[in-house]
Amino acid sequence: MSSGGCSIVWFRRDLRVEDNPALAAGVRAGAVVGVFIWAPEEEGQYYPGRVSRWWLKNSLSHLDSSLRNLGTPLVTKRSTDSVSSLLEVVKSTGATQIFFNHLYDPLSLVRDHRAKEILTAHGITVRSFNSDLLYEPWDVNDEHGQPFTTFDAFWERCLSMPYDPQAPLLPPKRIISGDVSRCPSDTLVFEDESEKASNALLARAWSPGWSNANKALTTFINGPLIEYSKNRRKADSATTSFLSPHLHFGEVSVKKVFHLVRIKQVFWANEGNQAGEESVNLFLKSIGLREYSRYISFNHPYSHERPLLGHLKFFPWVVNEGYFKAWRQGRTGYPLVDAGMRELWATGWLHDRIRVVVSSFFVKVLQLPWRWGMKYFWDTLLDADLESDALGWQYISGTLPDGREFDRIDNPQFEGYKCDPNGEYVRRWLPELARLPTEWIHHPWNAPESVLQAAGIELGSNYPLPIVEIDAATVRLEEALIQMWRLEAASRTAAENGTEEGLGDSSESAPIAFPQDIQMEERPEPVRNNPLHGTRRYQDQMVPSMTSSRVRVEEEETSSVRNSAGDSRAEVPTNVNAQQNAREAVNQGVLHNANRNTRQRHNNTTTFWLRNAAEDSTAESSSSTRRERDGGVVPEWSPPTSNFSDQFVDDENGIGATSPYLQRHPQSHQLMSWTRLPQTGLEAGDVENAISPSGMENIVLWQYMCSFYASYTNIDE
């Protein structure tokens, strides 16, 4: 044990001892104190859900055991301010250095930036590393040095980088422990008495911990991977890797997954095994989606709060808590949707194809606000991951530049034929339909009365009738899109005529609040004054500096980009000022020209809608999370399945395979990127109007977004 001058390794979502750059740097520097700080209040409304906390509890226990075997314990601290707790640990251990690995969600970026400033001011050396990605977000740009806006271009660039991702690091042979005699651990409570019984069931199916993650990876590579391209869509069997919870908590590094899978690909290529090569390519694409989720979160930090395409803020979402409750309880009348939602509640898990089906149904058929669905997934999934969840829901909602068209509905009946052709998945989770013949299992409302009676089914009694008919939902969605384009055009016209300050002005608009039963307490942080960045340091992570610069960007952005990016509403409201002004414009006759543009956009929308009804849909090839009990890798999302018109056609394309909105409506689809915000300071009133009630969108983050996107440096390791 060392008596002083030790290094602190700050564990977060990197709960492993192998391929951990921060831990390796600490071991090389000398004595080490490993620290984990549990500060869920910092997450605002995104407080970890029950099953996620269960996983974290067990993963930390596994990590502590591994560290003790190497020579040092894991110090755990309960806190409401991670930076303050780090300072306390520094004082009690005499540490002179702190090492940690990067995170890319907006709250972590702000917290880590603040930690570096405060700790450096106290004379502590702070170094951070990449342990979560193949390539850092700032290293992957187009030929003009700008971030990519579509997945295909991003992933192609990753695969053609002039250097390969670094090889994974071996675990340390032993660790010299720093003096922790004056730094006792706090007892961390991750579950209450009411949750223990439910959590006990999870241990039957899952084994958290970094060594168990390695076992799951090995099992997948030596088993299901070779037939992944053929079987990945089957929801009724274990055909995927089940790695996503392990990846979220950093129990296995994505670099290790990538390298081991590529080795397998080379082996199969030498054997001439084309099916194996195709499976590897599809699996690696899912890793690419996980990378892309972090890339999007870094370059568009409000992607979990607002659509990336500005026109979606005019969409007239249906605020119906009855629909929301029926969806959560698996009582929609669509067997595949209901089976998925019941599995989610019972196990904290969903196959990626089922995630696509239930989320598409939520957004397109029920037309509920997509952030409600994303928040429910966050509360109930074992692998709840803010960046991946945001990417998945934005993709399904058509709010990504290369996302699925909003006017495309996936019929759960035909999706059932693809991913559950024998009805075994539905029967497992809907016992009331267990005796129904396979012919009718995905559409019991069409079954003859005699068949229903023989199966003991009384529709509307022991199993609900469809909550919304697909045909009616299709018509309603088309009407909503017409209204969206009309309001968007009217708002643009009003802005051009000077009757409105610009798109996205949220000063008097209220966001669509979360339903009360999933509402989390919001804890906005106070304003902090942050000094200008000093010189670049090799150890620093590339993050925007939090300055109060009054200098504007050289190139003034259009009002649509500036204001939509500044719109900090937590959800797309139906009563935004822009809409109110649009209605006033209608009354004043201003809408005449806007309607002409709207009709043209609507004709385009209808044309693409009809065309895509007969087109192949996007493949799960770019799927991110699959039925990962033995390895559902990465982001928990897969690019969607096909729609109801191409019932039995394989959809083998990924995100971006369909015609992107940017090409169809370039004048209206402006990406909200912090890199292009006007770089002016905010007055007190501006901040007040800009901040939504969401706990994630606090004043600190707003300052963070509106300041210079600068002070980038390279990363160690």
Side-chain angles (χ1 to χ4, degrees), residues 342-618:
R342 295 191 196 181
E343 180 188 22
L344 173 60
W345 178 251
T347 69
W349 178 255
L350 276 182
H351 186 284
D352 70 329
R353 304 305 294 173
I354 305 300
R355 296 185 197 209
V356 169
V357 170
V358 300
S359 56
S360 177
F361 185 87
F362 185 92
V363 172
K364 308 291 183 64
V365 177
L366 300 181
Q367 292 181 27
L368 294 170
W370 63 271
R371 283 190 61 244
W372 287 12
M374 191 187 83
K375 179 62 169 61
Y376 186 71
F377 270 25
W378 173 265
D379 290 339
T380 54
L381 281 169
L382 273 168
D383 56 0
D385 184 281
L386 190 60
E387 298 98 319
S388 294
D389 286 349
L391 178 68
W393 282 90
Q394 292 244 20
Y395 175 76
I396 290 297
S397 302
T399 59
L400 291 175
D402 55 349
R404 173 174 291 193
E405 289 88 344
F406 208 141
D407 48 17
R408 169 182 157 186
I409 290 181
D410 297 299
N411 190 320
Q413 174 183 343
F414 300 129
E415 294 303 312
Y417 297 155
K418 298 175 185 177
C419 60
D420 186 29
N422 298 318
E424 294 305 313
Y425 177 77
V426 167
R427 292 188 181 93
R428 183 186 312 153
W429 294 105
L430 299 181
E432 61 267 42
L433 301 184
R435 295 163 56 192
L436 194 64
T438 301
E439 179 183 1
W440 309 104
I441 193 69
H442 292 298
H443 55 120
W445 56 87
N446 289 334
E449 187 62 32
S450 59
V451 172
L452 293 175
Q453 289 179 357
I457 300 171
E458 184 179 349
L459 295 179
S461 177
N462 60 353
Y463 187 72
L465 288 163
I467 189 171
V468 176
E469 296 288 345
I470 293 295
D471 290 343
T474 301
V475 172
R476 189 176 68 173
L477 181 60
E478 181 181 6
E479 293 172 348
L481 290 170
I482 294 173
Q483 182 180 353
M484 177 188 75
W485 288 120
R486 180 176 294 127
L487 291 171
E488 188 269 348
S491 176
R492 187 174 298 279
T493 300
E496 292 171 354
N497 291 340
T499 58
E500 181 187 343
E501 291 186 2
L503 299 179
D505 179 10
S506 60
S507 58
E508 296 180 5
S509 64
I512 300 178
F514 289 119
Q516 192 62 37
D517 56 354
I518 65 168
Q519 187 74 44
M520 306 300 290
E521 181 182 354
E522 294 159 2
R523 305 173 179 83
E525 296 185 14
V527 178
R528 297 187 180 93
N529 295 320
N530 296 280
L532 291 173
H533 257 293
T535 58
R536 298 183 182 182
R537 292 191 299 271
Y538 183 66
Q539 298 89 346
D540 279 346
Q541 181 177 9
M542 289 170 118
V543 295
S545 61
M546 299 166 63
T547 69
S548 56
S549 170
R550 294 284 181 177
V551 182
R552 283 188 179 274
V553 285
E554 295 178 6
E555 202 176 338
E556 189 67 30
E557 304 299 336
T558 62
S559 62
S560 61
V561 174
R562 177 173 63 253
N563 292 298
S564 63
D567 175 9
S568 57
R569 287 169 291 183
E571 186 42 71
V572 183
T574 55
N575 61 341
V576 294
N577 286 351
Q579 291 174 329
Q580 294 171 352
N581 288 329
R583 295 187 184 95
E584 293 172 4
V586 175
N587 297 332
Q588 298 170 7
V590 177
L591 196 57
H592 175 72
N593 293 330
N595 279 335
R596 182 172 55 197
N597 296 333
T598 303
R599 283 194 296 273
Q600 182 177 357
R601 291 191 187 100
H602 171 54
N603 290 336
N604 292 340
T605 300
T606 304
T607 300
F608 277 93
W609 182 22
L610 295 176
R611 186 194 71 190
N612 287 321
E615 270 185 1
D616 203 338
S617 71
T618 41

Side-chain angles (χ1 to χ4, degrees), residues 28-303:
R28 285 198 302 269
V32 169
V33 174
V35 176
F36 178 85
I37 300 172
W38 175 236
E41 289 79 10
E42 291 182 338
E43 308 301 325
Q45 67 191 12
Y46 289 93
Y47 188 100
R50 173 182 63 84
V51 293
S52 183
R53 285 182 277 114
W54 171 84
W55 191 288
L56 176 59
K57 170 189 172 183
N58 287 277
S59 186
L60 285 173
S61 176
H62 190 92
L63 176 64
D64 179 53
S65 177
S66 298
L67 289 174
R68 288 180 184 275
N69 288 336
L70 290 171
T72 186
L74 177 67
V75 176
T76 56
K77 291 291 183 180
R78 180 65 172 91
S79 176
T80 57
D81 186 334
S82 296
V83 179
S84 297
S85 292
L86 282 174
L87 284 172
E88 293 174 3
V89 175
V90 166
K91 293 176 182 177
S92 60
T93 61
T96 58
Q97 298 183 99
I98 292 182
F99 303 130
F100 61 85
N101 295 313
H102 299 158
L103 297 174
Y104 304 92
D105 63 277
L107 271 186
S108 295
L109 286 170
V110 174
R111 180 185 58 222
D112 294 354
H113 181 90
R114 174 173 168 255
K116 286 188 176 182
E117 288 190 328
I118 294 176
L119 292 166
T120 301
H122 282 77
I124 306 299
T125 299
V126 182
R127 296 172 61 195
S128 57
F129 307 84
N130 171 24
S131 77
D132 191 49
L133 296 175
L134 300 177
Y135 300 103
E136 292 285 23
W138 49 87
D139 288 335
V140 185
N141 296 305
D142 62 19
E143 63 271 17
H144 304 294
Q146 298 300 315
F148 290 104
T149 57
T150 61
F151 171 73
D152 284 343
F154 163 81
W155 188 231
E156 181 180 355
R157 175 59 176 160
C158 288
L159 294 179
S160 61
M161 290 287 278
Y163 53 93
D164 289 331
Q166 291 184 347
L169 303 170
L170 294 173
K173 294 180 179 179
R174 73 184 186 95
I175 300 175
I176 301 173
S177 178
D179 183 4
V180 295
S181 59
R182 294 183 298 167
C183 187
S185 290
D186 297 335
T187 300
L188 304 183
V189 179
F190 293 104
E191 58 186 0
D192 57 37
E193 290 300 323
S194 65
E195 296 172 333
K196 289 183 178 180
S198 298
N199 289 346
L201 299 176
L202 296 172
R204 298 180 182 179
W206 297 94
S207 299
W210 70 271
S211 63
N212 294 317
N214 285 333
K215 293 177 184 177
L217 175 60
T218 300
T219 299
F220 174 67
I221 290 177
N222 294 329
L225 175 60
I226 194 169
E227 295 186 337
Y228 178 74
S229 62
K230 181 176 68 175
N231 296 330
R232 74 192 185 284
R233 302 175 56 166
K234 296 179 180 179
D236 57 354
S237 57
T239 58
T240 56
S241 69
F242 298 98
L243 285 177
S244 60
H246 298 290
L247 282 163
H248 169 73
F249 288 100
E251 296 175 347
V252 63
S253 76
V254 70
K255 293 176 185 174
K256 180 172 183 177
V257 175
F258 184 84
H259 278 281
L260 291 182
V261 171
R262 285 293 294 271
I263 290 172
K264 202 71 172 179
Q265 184 180 36
V266 171
F267 177 77
W268 284 331
N270 291 335
E271 287 187 336
N273 188 333
Q274 295 183 352
E277 286 190 80
E278 181 184 359
S279 291
V280 168
N281 287 333
L282 291 174
F283 184 77
L284 289 179
K285 198 169 186 181
S286 70
I287 292 179
L289 279 177
R290 182 182 184 276
E291 296 277 306
Y292 192 55
S293 71
R294 271 74 176 151
Y295 188 80
I296 288 290
S297 181
F298 181 83
N299 287 291
H300 307 283
Y302 282 141
S303 59

Side-chain angles (χ1 to χ4, degrees), residues 672-714:
M672 303 179 188
S673 172
W674 68 3
T675 66
R676 307 186 65 191
L677 290 174
Q679 300 173 12
T680 58
L682 294 177
E683 303 298 339
D686 297 328
V687 173
E688 244 176 64
N689 294 333
I691 304 303
S692 81
S694 168
M696 291 290 288
E697 292 187 337
N698 51 55
I699 293 175
V700 174
L701 193 49
W702 179 261
Q703 287 183 324
Y704 185 59
M705 297 298 307
C706 293
S707 61
F708 282 128
Y709 187 72
S711 298
Y712 294 151
T713 57
N714 291 326

